[in-house]
Amino acid sequence: MPYVNIKVTREGTAPGASSTTPEQKAALIKGISDLLFDIMGKPHDSTFVVIDEIEMESWGVGGLPVPEYRKQLAEKAAKQK
């Protein structure tokens, strides 16, 4: 019985979006379930997929909260131009 936990930042993927859409979540659930069936033969009815959306301030990269990390990346890129 596979259990897959997907964690994404709560920011959306389209301009003005503030979260992952229900359609995107459904596509992720189907895609993961199909992949586990195709690769490992795991039936869809015993595959569990959970999607957690995390606030940007609660997600860290490189020792920093994501907003600060991205800010530093942008500043670094601007200096290299």
Side-chain angles (χ1 to χ4, degrees):
M1 170 172 63
Y3 170 85
V4 177
N5 185 224
I6 301 170
K7 294 185 183 283
V8 296
T9 54
R10 182 174 285 143
E11 62 184 301
T13 55
S18 62
S19 65
T20 306
T21 67
E23 295 82 12
Q24 290 169 324
K25 290 177 185 179
L28 285 169
I29 292 167
K30 182 175 182 339
I32 292 295
S33 298
D34 288 347
L35 181 66
L36 286 167
F37 179 78
D38 293 345
I39 302 297
M40 301 178 71
K42 300 295 182 179
H44 288 81
D45 61 358
S46 69
T47 297
F48 296 84
V49 179
V50 176
I51 301 169
D52 292 325
E53 289 185 281
I54 311 299
E55 295 296 333
M56 294 287 287
E57 295 77 19
S58 297
W59 192 291
V61 178
L64 300 167
V66 167
E68 182 62 27
Y69 178 79
R70 289 181 178 173
K71 179 182 171 190
Q72 287 186 13
L73 284 179
E75 290 170 353
K76 187 177 179 179
K79 289 179 184 178
Q80 291 177 350
K81 287 184 177 182

